[in-house]
Amino acid sequence: MHCSVTYDNKAIVINGERRILISGSIHYTRSTPEMWEDLVKKAKDGGLDVIDTYVFWNVHEPSPGNYNFEGRYDLVRFLKTVQKAGMYVHLRIGPYVCAEWNFGGFPVWLKYVPGISFRTDNEPFKRAMKGFTEKIVNLMKSAKMFESQGGPIILSQVENEYGSVGKAYGGDGLNYMKWAANMAVGLGTGVPWVMCKEDDAPDPIINTCNGFYCDEFSPNKPYKPTLWTEAWSGWFTEFGGPVYERPVQDLAFGVARFIQKGGSFVNYYMYHGGTNFGRSSGGPFITTTYDYDAPIDEYGLIRQPKYGHLKELHTVIKQCEPALVSVDPVITTLGSLQQAHVFSPDSRPCAAFLSNYDPNNIAKVTFNNKHYTLSPWSISILPDCNNVAFNTAQVGVESTQLEMLVSDSKMFSWETFTEDLTVSDEGSMFTATGLLEQINVTRDTSDYLWYTTSVDIDSSESFLRGGELPKLLVQSSGHVLHVFINGEHSGMFFRHPFVGSGFGSRKHRKVTYKENINLRAGSNKIALLSVAMGLPNIGGHYEEWETGVLGPVALYGLNQGKRDLSWANWTYQAGLKGEAMNIISSNARSSIKWMQDSLITQKPPPLTWHKAYFNAPDGDEPLALDMKSMGKGEAWVNGQSIGRYWTTFANGDCQGCHYAGTYRPLTCQIGCGQPTQRWYHVPRSWLKSTNNLLVLFEELGGDPSMVSLVKRSMVQ
């Protein structure tokens, strides 16, 4: 059978037939292979034709020339799952993906290629980008994944939302964008390429729209179709912020507005958001959950009424498809804020869209000599130009409540191990004059970097005799800072020297710590633990943004006034002792001296590892850890990271939410005053029936005895 994908001014043309295509983003890296079949089935049942995914360079090429397509990263298996369900694929190769993903999907080693500059007319970057794009295209060809080979891929994307970035880069940006387009087309996939948010995309590339609404968008040539590559179904969350929801009435209204203007491809970003396992979230400060208020929630369960209302919309759009792909709409005015878009081909049924853009008032309109009542901010769809089959604001689907119910599984055999700051691992340490940028040292192999120096205090200092304590100033480029002064062993126990912390945020990454500290006569040890919270994923040349303690670091209030420590000798250690000892694994080094929790009477100090065991709960509901009793850190189950956790409270403006009127994330906030994220997804496929190992690394304190395993359950 000869398969082909082309396009004209109306639509993507598959095997000679114009198609209205409904698509949804599901990122294979944000779920598990055991979830894929069910997610794809639910997408198909929801009326989708296409699954859209980015390709994540950093997981597939963790070091130059070493590739990984296993497990959660088995791209071909994911695409074959989609194919088996009888659906198409839009493969967004990028390889810049943004996606609130660590470093925007670029591997960190790329930053250290000599002479490189990202996403511009730069030979080292273009060479690397072409190499990876070719690798993916060749992998797809060898698995016969393109529609031109009988596979599911009908579209591919190169670059991603480059328009505004390219303009800022001037001529180099334009040259790079044209190069990327030609490079992609030259790979001979047999299916069209798109560029999103790229008004200058050269032929034959289709430029496409991303946004909450795209009805104002037109492609840059009259012979290209109108495609919406990201219809945002919700919004991402950041630690310390609220959760954003998008009412389904408004999302459906946005889609109907696009279709009535002649749009023929809509992709929901996201249809299933999933989870940022491990250290994959970007930002910085993007949460571990990437739920996105999507029609399928983070755990793979259907979110009603969003899923069902959109399914009804898709059914009605498909009823109109013969008319929609045949002619352009005739637009008539029905009132000051009301219109009719009518598609009436000669030989096919007529379809009409009656719109009311008034966010406050019902509209009574007359169309074809019949009276219709339109809800505020809504569109009624008439697949036969007569009967209303669907109104975007009239939701007939019942809502379902999803709750977290405590499971029958209890944690047992809690033990702890505290990072000992007095014992150094000489092999992994080095000393340098001055302050070094964090990622240059860690290469992102760990979130953690120690900066340690010593300060001699003369016995004549007045603060030692009752005067005011000196102040320590630490300026950090981000993202989190913990400060430790001295510290010593007393008998069995190590007295923890923790004195305080500073926290940045996604919009303000920098941290300033300025507090009084208690020093002693003689030598004092100042240890600064800098913590990265995901590398940036968006912004002009974000690969050049800095992380870590870059100074100044200074003491104020000594007899001599200020003492600048920025150019002192600093000792560096990347990562934690527990990380080096592979503490998260069931076969971790036996030299780790765990203590049973029953022997510990006081609250655990900062920088403490906790471990316990649990049995898998009965049933098949998705599972999560309730972490509300913990502070900040990372969690692992059977050696696999379920992600960073942080019980930080949502600061926002939760004033309730009405569907009508132009949507922006700030208009629909929930969860103010609650932890931004309390529950953390534990995939069932990661569990054994008994003796599952849970390991937590806690930076601040927390009470692990209150951590529990819960089931995500539907309550009617």
Side-chain angles (χ1 to χ4, degrees):
M1 173 184 160
H2 177 66
C3 305
S4 70
V5 187
T6 57
Y7 63 81
D8 61 18
N9 65 318
K10 291 296 292 174
I12 301 291
V13 179
I14 303 176
N15 303 330
E17 191 180 351
R18 288 174 175 164
R19 295 290 307 274
I20 300 287
L21 294 169
I22 310 292
S23 173
S25 288
I26 300 177
H27 296 157
Y28 54 100
T29 54
R30 286 176 154 141
S31 54
T32 62
E34 292 77 10
M35 295 168 68
W36 291 345
E37 196 172 325
D38 182 60
L39 292 173
V40 169
K41 181 181 185 306
K42 284 172 175 161
K44 186 175 187 183
D45 291 348
L48 268 56
D49 309 291
V50 184
I51 298 296
D52 164 301
T53 185
Y54 282 127
V55 178
F56 298 86
W57 188 354
N58 60 350
V59 306
H60 293 309
E61 194 177 2
S63 60
N66 294 314
Y67 294 97
N68 180 2
F69 292 95
E70 304 291 315
R72 212 161 63 236
Y73 309 145
D74 190 341
L75 176 59
V76 170
R77 176 176 167 186
F78 178 71
L79 300 187
K80 284 185 171 173
T81 304
V82 177
Q83 182 181 27
K84 187 174 153 208
M87 298 177 75
Y88 298 118
V89 169
H90 176 202
L91 193 69
R92 303 173 78 188
I93 299 174
Y96 167 67
V97 299
C98 185
E100 292 71 58
W101 189 261
N102 193 56
F103 218 41
F106 288 133
V108 171
W109 57 259
L110 193 67
K111 174 179 157 88
Y112 299 99
V113 171
I116 203 161
S117 183
F118 284 14
R119 301 177 75 203
T120 188
D121 192 5
N122 169 271
E123 290 306 320
F125 180 77
K126 292 192 296 187
R127 192 160 51 244
M129 171 172 163
K130 183 181 184 196
F132 181 72
T133 307
E134 278 183 334
K135 171 81 181 176
I136 295 299
V137 167
N138 289 338
L139 180 69
M140 296 301 104
K141 285 181 177 176
S142 63
K144 296 201 169 11
M145 284 288 108
F146 289 106
E147 173 76 7
S148 53
Q149 306 171 286
I153 301 172
I154 55 167
L155 288 173
S156 288
Q157 179 180 298
V158 67
E159 248 301 331
N160 188 49
E161 297 190 335
Y162 188 65
S164 58
V165 179
K167 284 187 179 63
Y169 295 173
D172 284 349
L174 187 64
N175 290 341
Y176 161 70
M177 184 274 294
K178 288 179 174 170
W179 168 86
N182 292 332
M183 180 270 291
V185 171
L187 295 173
T189 61
V191 304
W193 287 89
V194 306
M195 283 181 152
C196 62
K197 283 195 176 180
E198 182 54 74
D199 297 339
D200 302 331
D203 290 1
I205 302 231
I206 309 166
N207 64 305
T208 68
C209 184
N210 294 353
F212 290 112
Y213 308 96
C214 277
D215 47 299
E216 303 281 309
F217 169 80
S218 296
N220 61 16
K221 293 286 169 55
Y223 42 80
K224 294 179 184 178
T226 304
L227 313 183
W228 188 0
T229 33
E230 292 187 17
W232 298 330
S233 58
W235 203 240
F236 57 82
T237 51
E238 58 193 85
F239 282 115
V243 173
Y244 302 104
E245 294 188 335
R246 185 175 185 190
V248 69
Q249 299 95 318
D250 177 67
L251 181 56
F253 182 53
V255 171
R257 276 163 61 171
F258 180 73
I259 297 291
Q260 75 178 2
K261 294 282 285 279
S264 58
F265 176 100
V266 178
N267 175 66
Y268 296 102
Y269 188 101
M270 301 292 296
Y271 198 76
H272 162 75
T275 309
N276 293 319
F277 296 114
R279 299 187 303 116
S280 63
S281 59
F285 292 98
I286 296 295
T287 53
T288 296
T289 176
Y290 199 66
D291 181 85
Y292 228 87
D293 196 31
I296 303 174
D297 78 3
E298 175 182 6
Y299 299 86
L301 300 178
I302 284 169
R303 171 174 276 120
Q304 296 288 28
K306 196 166 239 180
Y307 175 93
H309 192 55
L310 293 175
K311 176 177 179 172
E312 291 177 6
L313 169 68
H314 305 152
T315 301
V316 175
I317 288 172
K318 290 297 171 149
Q319 288 170 9
C320 302
E321 184 175 27
L324 295 173
V325 299
S326 300
V327 291
D328 292 330
V330 175
I331 303 167
T332 54
T333 300
L334 304 176
S336 58
L337 290 167
Q338 294 76 35
Q339 287 179 324
H341 288 69
V342 183
F343 298 79
S344 49
D346 294 339
S347 57
R348 294 182 172 186
C350 161
F353 292 67
L354 309 183
S355 52
N356 177 16
Y357 290 93
D358 188 329
N360 302 312
N361 300 299
I362 286 173
K364 295 186 183 299
V365 299
T366 303
F367 171 71
N368 281 357
N369 300 319
K370 278 186 71 173
H371 297 298
Y372 297 89
T373 301
L374 304 176
S375 299
W377 198 252
S378 81
I379 292 177
S380 285
I381 304 178
L382 291 57
D384 58 359
C385 283
N386 185 19
N387 298 296
V388 175
F390 182 84
N391 176 274
T392 58
Q394 303 292 323
V395 179
V397 180
E398 274 194 43
S399 297
T400 46
Q401 288 304 117
L402 291 164
E403 290 187 14
M404 296 301 199
L405 303 178
V406 177
S407 75
D408 55 358
S409 178
K410 299 282 180 275
M411 306 289 165
F412 54 89
S413 306
W414 277 108
E415 294 183 290
T416 63
F417 166 77
T418 299
E419 291 271 319
D420 184 345
L421 309 190
T422 61
V423 181
S424 302
D425 178 3
E426 301 295 340
S428 62
M429 299 171 72
F430 67 93
T431 300
T433 303
L435 296 162
L436 303 179
E437 197 276 340
Q438 180 165 343
I439 308 307
N440 289 347
V441 179
T442 64
R443 300 291 170 106
D444 199 35
T445 56
S446 169
D447 281 347
Y448 301 98
L449 178 63
W450 283 106
Y451 294 72
T452 308
T453 194
S454 58
V455 176
D456 285 325
I457 295 294
D458 194 275
S459 56
S460 65
E461 288 287 347
S462 58
F463 78 84
L464 293 171
R465 294 189 299 281
E468 191 178 338
L469 290 175
K471 262 195 170 55
L472 174 67
L473 167 75
V474 182
Q475 288 271 20
S476 166
S477 295
H479 307 135
V480 170
L481 178 73
H482 303 305
V483 181
F484 301 84
I485 309 289
N486 294 321
E488 59 206 20
H489 284 277
S490 75
M492 267 182 69
F493 292 98
F494 171 63
R495 191 173 70 74
H496 229 275
F498 174 68
V499 294
S501 300
F503 302 93
S505 66
R506 194 175 71 88
K507 292 189 178 65
H508 305 287
R509 300 183 303 281
K510 289 185 162 47
V511 178
T512 300
Y513 179 88
K514 192 171 187 182
E515 298 290 342
N516 295 96
I517 58 166
N518 203 352
L519 299 173
R520 58 197 177 201
S523 180
N524 293 264
K525 181 173 167 184
I526 296 178
L528 308 174
L529 183 61
S530 181
V531 189
M533 285 294 289
L535 301 188
N537 56 269
I538 190 168
H541 285 304
Y542 67 76
E543 78 274 15
E544 296 171 4
W545 296 4
E546 294 177 320
T547 306
V549 180
L550 292 170
V553 178
L555 282 171
Y556 292 84
L558 302 176
N559 289 354
Q560 71 189 51
K562 170 187 168 187
R563 187 186 300 182
D564 193 334
L565 304 175
S566 305
W567 289 97
N569 283 339
W570 289 87
T571 299
Y572 293 88
Q573 174 144 15
L576 304 163
K577 292 195 176 59
E579 289 178 306
M581 294 191 284
N582 196 23
I583 202 166
I584 62 168
S585 164
S586 53
N587 50 10
R589 283 198 209 161
S590 53
S591 57
I592 301 169
K593 294 185 171 56
W594 291 97
M595 280 188 67
Q596 288 180 17
D597 268 20
S598 55
L599 302 176
I600 298 169
T601 50
Q602 72 260 53
K603 187 178 173 217
L607 309 192
T608 295
W609 297 83
H610 303 274
K611 76 168 179 178
Y613 293 89
F614 65 95
N615 298 332
D618 56 4
D620 59 0
E621 305 94 330
L623 303 174
L625 279 178
D626 184 345
M627 299 291 284
K628 71 176 185 296
S629 67
M630 299 303 290
K632 179 181 179 303
E634 192 174 349
W636 295 261
V637 170
N638 292 332
Q640 299 208 68
S641 173
I642 64 169
R644 299 184 185 100
Y645 68 84
W646 188 11
T647 309
T648 183
F649 290 82
N651 198 353
D653 183 16
C654 297
Q655 294 293 326
C657 178
H658 187 56
Y659 80 87
T662 301
Y663 174 81
R664 292 292 175 264
L666 295 178
T667 57
C668 276
Q669 305 177 39
I670 63 163
C672 298
Q674 303 291 320
T676 298
Q677 184 171 355
R678 172 177 168 182
W679 293 287
Y680 294 80
H681 181 203
V682 179
R684 277 211 180 245
S685 59
W686 292 7
L687 301 185
K688 307 174 290 186
S689 56
T690 59
N691 283 341
N692 296 285
L693 173 64
L694 170 66
V695 176
L696 310 176
F697 176 66
E698 172 57 55
E699 295 171 27
L700 301 172
D703 180 1
S705 68
M706 301 296 290
V707 170
S708 63
L709 201 63
V710 298
K711 295 178 172 183
R712 186 148 175 87
S713 309
M714 207 171 283
V715 181
Q716 289 290 355

